[in-house]
Amino acid sequence: MVFLRRLGLFLAIIAMPIFAEKVEVTADNFFADEVKLISVLTGNVHVKKGSYDTLDSNKITIYFDKNKQPIKYEATDNARFKILINESHYNGKGDKLTYIPAEDKYILTGNAWIEEVETKREVFGDIITISQLDGKYEVDSFRDSKNKDKKPARLIFHVEEKK
């Protein structure tokens, strides 16, 4: 338990200049490679940024620049998140989730899904790119003549009928 607290404190200190918000990280296991500038966290990995945003997975790899500042997070194995965009709450998941802190950008790849919690609007696709800075997201699907079994990008929402 003491190790996890130290790990969380270490990662929070490293990430603070990029996020300018408090970042807390917990995991069952931690590995760092100072030469390759990566850290690998495994087992019940939980990252919390600020008061709402979370990233959960069974494995997260953090890539650092030469100044040891995080430049990319890659979550695999049950990757999922909760984020706030323009006062709207979103849940999402995918086979792989990449977060680029400098751009405040999330990229979900493979079986990607996001949901706007308040409206229950859902989006499905092969790749979903979300920009927290400007509140936009883009959905791509790779359905073509070679991948006829792939499903198209989908948007599901509810419309209230006026009487």
Side-chain angles (χ1 to χ4, degrees):
M1 189 67 169
V2 172
F3 172 75
L4 291 177
R5 286 188 191 134
R6 288 183 185 159
L7 170 63
L9 179 62
F10 167 75
L11 291 172
I13 290 170
I14 287 175
M16 285 177 103
I18 295 291
F19 292 122
E21 289 186 85
K22 182 178 178 182
V23 176
E24 297 177 38
V25 181
T26 58
D28 293 341
N29 305 294
F30 170 74
F31 168 80
D33 186 326
E34 294 289 328
V35 175
K36 292 183 179 179
L37 298 171
I38 64 167
S39 293
V40 181
L41 300 102
T42 58
N44 301 305
V45 185
H46 178 74
V47 179
K48 182 171 183 181
K49 179 182 82 165
S51 63
Y52 186 79
D53 293 1
T54 61
L55 171 58
D56 294 290
S57 183
N58 291 324
K59 179 180 179 184
I60 295 179
T61 303
I62 304 171
Y63 298 85
F64 298 91
D65 64 15
K66 63 182 179 179
N67 297 318
K68 297 187 179 175
Q69 296 301 310
I71 55 173
K72 179 170 65 171
Y73 294 71
E74 284 186 349
T76 55
D77 192 8
N78 198 22
R80 58 214 179 278
F81 72 86
K82 293 181 180 183
I83 59 174
L84 184 64
I85 302 175
N86 295 330
E87 305 302 318
S88 294
H89 299 87
Y90 288 84
N91 295 329
K93 64 181 179 176
D95 294 338
K96 178 175 149 185
L97 189 153
T98 303
Y99 175 65
I100 303 168
E103 300 173 29
D104 236 353
K105 183 184 288 187
Y106 290 84
I107 304 166
L108 293 158
T109 308
N111 298 306
W113 166 82
I114 62 170
E115 169 195 41
E116 184 178 2
V117 175
E118 289 82 4
T119 64
K120 303 292 186 211
R121 183 173 41 190
E122 296 178 276
V123 177
F124 300 83
D126 291 316
I127 298 176
I128 300 175
T129 303
I130 303 162
S131 173
Q132 247 181 323
L133 291 178
D134 59 15
K136 296 178 182 177
Y137 53 90
E138 180 178 335
V139 183
D140 291 313
S141 180
F142 300 119
R143 186 177 184 182
D144 58 24
S145 60
K146 293 179 184 178
N147 294 315
K148 291 182 180 181
D149 293 337
K150 288 295 268 184
K151 296 180 181 177
R154 293 186 308 156
L155 171 65
I156 300 173
F157 57 94
H158 302 278
V159 178
E160 291 184 30
E161 291 185 27
K162 299 196 181 212
K163 296 180 181 184

